[in-house]
Amino acid sequence: SMQSIVFANYVARDTMRLGATIDVEHSSVRFLGNLVLNLWDCGGQDAFMENYLESQRDHIFKNVEVLIYVFDVDTKEAASDIHYYQSCLAAIMQYSRNAHVFCLIHKMDLVPEDRRDITFAEKEAELKKMSYPLNIKCFSTSIWDETLYKAWSSIVYSLIPNVDMLQQHLERFAEVCEADEVVLFEKATFLEISQSVRKPHTDVHRFEKISNIVKQFKLSCSKLQGQFQSIEVRNSRFAAYIELFTSNTYIMVIM
């Protein structure tokens, strides 16, 4: 369901009609024009997991750039989840030692709001300890808010070639414009690619919130046979502009 929201323009409520993943579902997504992401969505049922780790082990885990392991925070089978996770890490160490590993602690909307931070921190510490010597990155996610965009922006960022050069150019652009902030978004998914922040802001989740809001607005435009082009917001404190920047990106400039 999360893949459908990020890459297939679903809204959260539409994913309720999607069935469980059966075995391995393959899809290719064009990102930034010429970067093709080959996504293998692997079903998590026990029979499938045993198959991945035994008869399909080299096929599934060879030449992997990124492993994304999704933990259901409300699971009743935590021990089994950990067993399969560690088995997947062993396979990654064997076949794709340099792969990036991301763990998504998913369905966090089911946890009471006052318990979310501590629940995530405990799970993150547990996973990092058992993942050594691999350096993993964990995210708290839900299909019902912007957290999914934060996680997938980081995942995709790890795959973009020459990303350091891109960051340098963006910082130079922000300096020339004398902008407070400049953010680059991928056109189709509106995932954040890179950012340059020259003035501190209290909301650390603002960019993924903007991704979520603009993605929903684009979907609304499509339903009305309209086409999203740009957004301009002004008030007494700031001016924000979101415009098409290249054939594959949008740029947001905050003045």
Side-chain angles (χ1 to χ4, degrees), residues 111-239:
V111 178
E113 192 168 354
D114 61 347
R115 292 282 305 166
R116 287 177 191 172
D117 288 346
I118 190 168
T119 298
F120 173 70
E122 289 173 351
K123 190 68 174 178
E124 180 183 37
E126 177 189 6
L127 290 173
K128 286 191 171 183
K129 183 178 180 180
M130 70 176 59
S131 301
Y132 184 83
L134 290 173
N135 183 24
I136 69 166
K137 193 163 187 179
C138 299
F139 290 94
S140 166
T141 58
S142 166
I143 63 172
W144 299 101
D145 60 27
E146 70 281 350
T147 53
L148 212 53
Y149 288 90
K150 175 66 174 177
W152 276 94
S153 289
S154 296
I155 291 166
V156 170
Y157 184 86
S158 71
L159 294 169
I160 298 174
N162 303 318
V163 73
D164 291 338
M165 183 181 297
L166 174 64
Q167 183 67 36
Q168 291 172 12
H169 287 312
L170 199 68
E171 289 175 357
R172 177 58 179 157
F173 180 88
E175 184 180 337
V176 169
C177 293
E178 297 184 347
D180 293 338
E181 298 177 325
V182 176
V183 187
L184 201 62
F185 297 99
E186 199 273 332
K187 182 181 177 181
T189 61
F190 233 80
L191 290 174
E192 176 200 334
I193 300 169
S194 189
Q195 59 172 272
S196 174
V197 178
R198 302 175 70 239
K199 183 179 179 181
H201 196 285
T202 55
D203 187 354
V204 296
H205 301 294
R206 61 196 181 282
F207 298 142
E208 52 264 32
K209 288 178 181 177
I210 290 168
S211 289
N212 194 15
I213 291 168
V214 174
K215 188 77 175 288
Q216 301 303 316
F217 181 63
K218 287 178 67 180
L219 291 174
S220 298
C221 290
S222 298
K223 290 177 181 177
L224 296 171
Q225 283 77 51
Q227 188 172 3
F228 172 78
Q229 292 184 323
S230 64
I231 294 177
E232 180 178 332
V233 179
R234 293 170 176 264
N235 63 23
S236 59
R237 294 179 297 164
F238 72 92

Side-chain angles (χ1 to χ4, degrees), residues 48-65:
F48 297 145
M49 294 297 292
E50 294 292 345
N51 191 32
Y52 307 150
L53 294 165
E54 298 298 333
S55 60
Q56 294 192 69
R57 188 180 181 91
D58 60 338
H59 177 64
I60 295 288
F61 293 100
K62 188 176 288 184
N63 300 321
V64 172
E65 292 291 333

